[in-house]
Amino acid sequence: MADGAAGRCTVLLVAPSPTLSVGQWRALMAQVPAAEHPRIDGLRRPQDRLNSATGWQLLHRLSRSHGTTLQRGADGRPRCTPPADVSLSHSGSWVGVALCPDGRVGIDVETVRDVSPSLARRALSTHELSWIHQVPPGRSRDHRFFRLWTAKEAFLKATGVGLTSDPRSVTIDCTAEEPVLLGQEEAWTFSASAPADGVCATVCVERAP
């Protein structure tokens, strides 16, 4: 996924090196907004610190290139000067960021892992469950789950709702090349990718008026 993904959106997906020297870490943090330093330093896991710092560094770079200012909103989500919008996600060793200059955007990246039947029932609508149950339990079903989930989560991020809403209230159709939000096909567009084996990423962008 690259510049132009999902239409007007700039998207970056990276897997930062976990073996940064002290000097490289300081250089990375120098590109992160100062307001984020205490929060990043307070994260317990080194991978979480690296992912968060990398994500904010990438968003800061994108925001500057588009002439907008990056900050953390009252809801805790990265924000920039409207009408531009930004989004950040990380999972495992992967970090994804997206910027849309003239509409809402959400991104989600996930490493594929085992999904229990109970989790699938709590997260997916009846339509979505039917699709993942078309393949046997195992890796293929887990991959289908995360293809759906990244699209669903990207949409919920774009709208600002996040997981305060029941994810089953949103139904995604992934039977075509790109995900489709049923009932709101004309309002939102999606772009899905697999940047590496066992990794799913999806961007959701509000269609231009």
mmCIF file of all heavy atoms in Angstrom, residues 14 28 32 50-60 70 87-90 95-97:
data_model
loop_
_atom_site.group_PDB
_atom_site.id
_atom_site.type_symbol
_atom_site.label_atom_id
_atom_site.label_comp_id
_atom_site.label_asym_id
_atom_site.label_seq_id
_atom_site.Cartn_x
_atom_site.Cartn_y
_atom_site.Cartn_z
ATOM 1 N N VAL A 14 5.374 0.110 7.749
ATOM 2 C CA VAL A 14 6.777 -0.206 7.980
ATOM 3 C C VAL A 14 6.902 -1.211 9.123
ATOM 4 O O VAL A 14 6.023 -1.338 9.974
ATOM 5 C CB VAL A 14 7.594 1.056 8.322
ATOM 6 C CG1 VAL A 14 7.513 2.087 7.194
ATOM 7 C CG2 VAL A 14 7.131 1.683 9.630
ATOM 8 N N LEU A 28 15.380 9.240 16.492
ATOM 9 C CA LEU A 28 13.972 8.975 16.232
ATOM 10 C C LEU A 28 13.089 9.836 17.119
ATOM 11 O O LEU A 28 12.140 10.485 16.648
ATOM 12 C CB LEU A 28 13.670 7.491 16.477
ATOM 13 C CG LEU A 28 12.198 7.056 16.421
ATOM 14 C CD1 LEU A 28 11.606 7.328 15.037
ATOM 15 C CD2 LEU A 28 12.062 5.576 16.784
ATOM 16 N N VAL A 32 9.744 13.166 17.017
ATOM 17 C CA VAL A 32 8.433 12.921 17.602
ATOM 18 C C VAL A 32 8.008 14.164 18.387
ATOM 19 O O VAL A 32 8.827 14.753 19.101
ATOM 20 C CB VAL A 32 8.483 11.690 18.543
ATOM 21 C CG1 VAL A 32 7.158 11.501 19.273
ATOM 22 C CG2 VAL A 32 8.837 10.436 17.749
ATOM 23 N N LEU A 50 8.921 1.457 20.628
ATOM 24 C CA LEU A 50 9.419 1.628 19.262
ATOM 25 C C LEU A 50 8.278 1.876 18.286
ATOM 26 O O LEU A 50 8.347 2.780 17.439
ATOM 27 C CB LEU A 50 10.204 0.378 18.846
ATOM 28 C CG LEU A 50 10.707 0.341 17.402
ATOM 29 C CD1 LEU A 50 11.675 1.492 17.144
ATOM 30 C CD2 LEU A 50 11.378 -0.998 17.106
ATOM 31 N N ASN A 51 7.208 1.085 18.388
ATOM 32 C CA ASN A 51 6.077 1.239 17.470
ATOM 33 C C ASN A 51 5.421 2.608 17.621
ATOM 34 O O ASN A 51 5.081 3.270 16.632
ATOM 35 C CB ASN A 51 5.042 0.144 17.715
ATOM 36 C CG ASN A 51 5.497 -1.216 17.228
ATOM 37 O OD1 ASN A 51 6.493 -1.341 16.527
ATOM 38 N ND2 ASN A 51 4.767 -2.256 17.606
ATOM 39 N N SER A 52 5.213 3.030 18.865
ATOM 40 C CA SER A 52 4.556 4.311 19.091
ATOM 41 C C SER A 52 5.421 5.464 18.587
ATOM 42 O O SER A 52 4.932 6.376 17.910
ATOM 43 C CB SER A 52 4.253 4.492 20.579
ATOM 44 O OG SER A 52 3.520 5.665 20.805
ATOM 45 N N ALA A 53 6.710 5.427 18.894
ATOM 46 C CA ALA A 53 7.607 6.482 18.441
ATOM 47 C C ALA A 53 7.680 6.524 16.918
ATOM 48 O O ALA A 53 7.636 7.597 16.304
ATOM 49 C CB ALA A 53 9.005 6.287 19.030
ATOM 50 N N THR A 54 7.756 5.351 16.293
ATOM 51 C CA THR A 54 7.823 5.295 14.835
ATOM 52 C C THR A 54 6.541 5.841 14.218
ATOM 53 O O THR A 54 6.575 6.611 13.251
ATOM 54 C CB THR A 54 8.057 3.846 14.361
ATOM 55 O OG1 THR A 54 9.295 3.373 14.891
ATOM 56 C CG2 THR A 54 8.100 3.770 12.842
ATOM 57 N N GLY A 55 5.395 5.448 14.765
ATOM 58 C CA GLY A 55 4.128 5.920 14.238
ATOM 59 C C GLY A 55 4.001 7.431 14.310
ATOM 60 O O GLY A 55 3.611 8.084 13.332
ATOM 61 N N TRP A 56 4.349 8.003 15.450
ATOM 62 C CA TRP A 56 4.239 9.458 15.591
ATOM 63 C C TRP A 56 5.273 10.186 14.735
ATOM 64 O O TRP A 56 5.003 11.264 14.212
ATOM 65 C CB TRP A 56 4.350 9.850 17.059
ATOM 66 C CG TRP A 56 3.033 9.694 17.748
ATOM 67 C CD1 TRP A 56 2.523 8.555 18.298
ATOM 68 C CD2 TRP A 56 2.027 10.695 17.901
ATOM 69 N NE1 TRP A 56 1.258 8.779 18.791
ATOM 70 C CE2 TRP A 56 0.937 10.087 18.576
ATOM 71 C CE3 TRP A 56 1.939 12.029 17.561
ATOM 72 C CZ2 TRP A 56 -0.222 10.781 18.884
ATOM 73 C CZ3 TRP A 56 0.778 12.731 17.882
ATOM 74 C CH2 TRP A 56 -0.280 12.110 18.530
ATOM 75 N N GLN A 57 6.451 9.596 14.570
ATOM 76 C CA GLN A 57 7.452 10.205 13.695
ATOM 77 C C GLN A 57 6.960 10.231 12.255
ATOM 78 O O GLN A 57 7.097 11.243 11.549
ATOM 79 C CB GLN A 57 8.772 9.432 13.799
ATOM 80 C CG GLN A 57 9.899 9.999 12.952
ATOM 81 C CD GLN A 57 10.038 9.296 11.616
ATOM 82 O OE1 GLN A 57 9.597 8.159 11.455
ATOM 83 N NE2 GLN A 57 10.649 9.968 10.661
ATOM 84 N N LEU A 58 6.359 9.135 11.806
ATOM 85 C CA LEU A 58 5.835 9.075 10.444
ATOM 86 C C LEU A 58 4.678 10.053 10.251
ATOM 87 O O LEU A 58 4.596 10.746 9.227
ATOM 88 C CB LEU A 58 5.395 7.653 10.115
ATOM 89 C CG LEU A 58 6.504 6.599 10.009
ATOM 90 C CD1 LEU A 58 5.892 5.218 9.832
ATOM 91 C CD2 LEU A 58 7.454 6.909 8.851
ATOM 92 N N LEU A 59 3.763 10.103 11.230
ATOM 93 C CA LEU A 59 2.642 11.033 11.125
ATOM 94 C C LEU A 59 3.123 12.486 11.124
ATOM 95 O O LEU A 59 2.598 13.328 10.390
ATOM 96 C CB LEU A 59 1.671 10.827 12.288
ATOM 97 C CG LEU A 59 0.727 9.639 12.205
ATOM 98 C CD1 LEU A 59 -0.179 9.609 13.435
ATOM 99 C CD2 LEU A 59 -0.115 9.674 10.937
ATOM 100 N N HIS A 60 4.122 12.778 11.954
ATOM 101 C CA HIS A 60 4.663 14.135 12.006
ATOM 102 C C HIS A 60 5.261 14.511 10.648
ATOM 103 O O HIS A 60 5.063 15.624 10.147
ATOM 104 C CB HIS A 60 5.718 14.221 13.104
ATOM 105 C CG HIS A 60 6.211 15.602 13.392
ATOM 106 N ND1 HIS A 60 5.379 16.669 13.620
ATOM 107 C CD2 HIS A 60 7.477 16.101 13.492
ATOM 108 C CE1 HIS A 60 6.086 17.755 13.850
ATOM 109 N NE2 HIS A 60 7.362 17.439 13.763
ATOM 110 N N LEU A 70 0.270 18.375 13.675
ATOM 111 C CA LEU A 70 -0.121 17.131 14.345
ATOM 112 C C LEU A 70 -0.198 17.334 15.847
ATOM 113 O O LEU A 70 0.665 17.958 16.451
ATOM 114 C CB LEU A 70 0.894 16.034 14.022
ATOM 115 C CG LEU A 70 0.667 14.669 14.677
ATOM 116 C CD1 LEU A 70 -0.565 13.999 14.088
ATOM 117 C CD2 LEU A 70 1.893 13.770 14.474
ATOM 118 N N SER A 87 -4.388 8.840 10.860
ATOM 119 C CA SER A 87 -4.699 7.652 11.655
ATOM 120 C C SER A 87 -3.422 6.844 11.840
ATOM 121 O O SER A 87 -2.519 6.874 10.990
ATOM 122 C CB SER A 87 -5.771 6.800 10.968
ATOM 123 O OG SER A 87 -6.179 5.724 11.794
ATOM 124 N N LEU A 88 -3.354 6.111 12.950
ATOM 125 C CA LEU A 88 -2.169 5.349 13.335
ATOM 126 C C LEU A 88 -2.593 3.994 13.871
ATOM 127 O O LEU A 88 -3.577 3.876 14.597
ATOM 128 C CB LEU A 88 -1.387 6.118 14.412
ATOM 129 C CG LEU A 88 -0.332 5.373 15.235
ATOM 130 C CD1 LEU A 88 0.821 4.925 14.348
ATOM 131 C CD2 LEU A 88 0.175 6.281 16.359
ATOM 132 N N SER A 89 -1.822 2.946 13.507
ATOM 133 C CA SER A 89 -2.092 1.602 14.027
ATOM 134 C C SER A 89 -0.775 0.844 14.111
ATOM 135 O O SER A 89 0.145 1.077 13.309
ATOM 136 C CB SER A 89 -3.060 0.854 13.100
ATOM 137 O OG SER A 89 -3.289 -0.466 13.562
ATOM 138 N N HIS A 90 -0.672 -0.073 15.073
ATOM 139 C CA HIS A 90 0.494 -0.966 15.097
ATOM 140 C C HIS A 90 0.108 -2.293 15.735
ATOM 141 O O HIS A 90 -0.778 -2.377 16.592
ATOM 142 C CB HIS A 90 1.693 -0.335 15.804
ATOM 143 C CG HIS A 90 1.441 0.190 17.182
ATOM 144 N ND1 HIS A 90 1.420 -0.609 18.292
ATOM 145 C CD2 HIS A 90 1.206 1.449 17.620
ATOM 146 C CE1 HIS A 90 1.208 0.117 19.363
ATOM 147 N NE2 HIS A 90 1.058 1.380 18.985
ATOM 148 N N VAL A 95 3.903 -1.144 11.836
ATOM 149 C CA VAL A 95 3.304 0.163 12.113
ATOM 150 C C VAL A 95 2.698 0.680 10.816
ATOM 151 O O VAL A 95 3.328 0.607 9.745
ATOM 152 C CB VAL A 95 4.360 1.178 12.618
ATOM 153 C CG1 VAL A 95 3.714 2.538 12.865
ATOM 154 C CG2 VAL A 95 5.040 0.660 13.877
ATOM 155 N N GLY A 96 1.470 1.201 10.910
ATOM 156 C CA GLY A 96 0.821 1.790 9.748
ATOM 157 C C GLY A 96 0.294 3.174 10.075
ATOM 158 O O GLY A 96 -0.257 3.394 11.164
ATOM 159 N N VAL A 97 0.490 4.119 9.158
ATOM 160 C CA VAL A 97 -0.057 5.466 9.322
ATOM 161 C C VAL A 97 -0.728 5.871 8.015
ATOM 162 O O VAL A 97 -0.375 5.387 6.941
ATOM 163 C CB VAL A 97 1.028 6.500 9.691
ATOM 164 C CG1 VAL A 97 1.677 6.152 11.016
ATOM 165 C CG2 VAL A 97 2.082 6.630 8.596
#
